[in-house]
Amino acid sequence: MDSRLVQDSQMAVKKSTDIFDKCLKFDKAKTLIAQGLYPYFRMIESAQDPEIVMNGRKMIMVGSNNYLGLTNHPRVKEAAIEAVRKYGTGCAGSRFLNGTLDIHVELEEKLARFMRKEAALIFSTGFQVNLGVISALVGKDDVAIIDKMDHASIIDGCRLSFGEVRKFRHNDMADFERVLKEYEAKDKLVVVDGVFSMEGDIAKLPEIIALSDTYGARVMVDDAHSIGVLGNTGRGTAEYFGMEDAVDLIMGTYSKSLASIGGFIAGSADIIHYIKHVARPLIFSASPPPASVASVSAALDIIENEPERREKLWKNTTKMLMGFKELGFVVGPSQTPIIPVIVGENEKAFLMAMMLEKEGVFANVAVTPAVPNGKALIRTSYMATHTDEHLDIVLRAFEKVGKELGII
Ligand code: PMP
């Protein structure tokens, strides 16, 4: 063989190392653990109530998405127990084959009615809804247009699709129109969070819908944090703006106000029928377990019949938004029960979360890349079941820690 050829082929072969090397080198979390600043995977020994137990100690929870406080509601729990008694603990298959129970179909009908859409389809998690729906609808010649701050499951749904993906600046309608114009000739799906999960602000739906109409795009709203929270009757972002007919698809999850785990997409019957036969995360994954389906159904009844829960949630939200602002904290554009407290660099946020924990408050941390550089935050979120006393303790703890850290 020509010696040059041998040399070339040797150069082309890159010597492999070990695919696990990156794991052995990964020390970010280990460093935080060693410094006592690791705020993740904390163990809770009780239900997701306003008061939780951690390490045998009572704490006030301001890090839960249990907005209406239904995860520990007697009627919701009873419904789950009854479903386990009748149907057992799992469905042992996907919705597509053996995993559809009568209660799955009943819940779909109930959700469609609640969302005022023709049909609904339930998945095993909210994450899977976004994966399944976006990848089913956005084909290779299409484009998904998303807000830069959309949830990770929307971004991953786009990644899973064969189409193009374009982001516009967060809630920036001029930038949104620029992208729409650029893709005028393509079929377009716009996907936005109704309530943004870190910022707590609301999508500018009236403008989004008007512009989408102008450029012939379809609109899907992720109402994970809006169902049970926004709108006169808790039906979410579209109801809040009085635009229920104008939104093509609404996705929701059960992991927040609906007190369980799972998710759904609601829309017109033909579109849901298509998704039902194309969405791989639905077809190739086991259906939500009976306990979860039954809890959602019970939670929906409570949402419809007990509006005072939503009213209390908003009372708590207003108190905390005002309370943080009066103390001098920066809460960004929040308008909802998700209230971020912006603290600056990542290290400061980790330290603040641990100091709050010492003061008996459980709050979440969001650092880069989940938030922009220098905008690390403590994410707080509220429940209808928080009392004024709980909230006063939280404000006092934030005041103490905020002063110690020089944030206020
Ligand atoms: N969308 C948004 C906006 C979310 O915040 C979440 C959950 N954090 C999801 C989708 C995924 O929902 P689930 O937890 O049910 O998988």
Side-chain angles (χ1 to χ4, degrees), residues 125-127 130 151 153 193 197 222 224-225 251 253 255-256 261-262:
T125 69
F127 205 105
N130 282 333
H151 189 258
S153 53
D193 285 14
S197 55
D222 176 331
H225 298 276
M251 91 57 89
T253 134
S255 60
K256 320 272 187 229
I261 170 84

Side-chain angles (χ1 to χ4, degrees), residues 65 67 124-130 149-154 193-198 222-225 251-256 260-263 338 379:
N65 300 308
Y67 297 118
S124 299
T125 69
F127 205 105
Q128 282 173 279
V129 177
N130 282 333
M149 296 314 292
D150 273 356
H151 189 258
S153 53
I154 295 175
D193 285 14
V195 169
F196 287 88
S197 55
M198 287 297 155
D222 176 331
D223 259 350
H225 298 276
M251 91 57 89
T253 134
Y254 310 154
S255 60
K256 320 272 187 229
S260 185
I261 170 84
I338 298 171
R379 180 191 185 273

Side-chain angles (χ1 to χ4, degrees), residues 130-139 156-158 160-162 278-281:
N130 282 333
L131 293 186
V133 172
I134 299 170
S135 61
L137 293 175
V138 182
D156 287 4
C158 292
L160 210 55
S161 82
F162 290 108
V278 177
R280 294 162 65 88

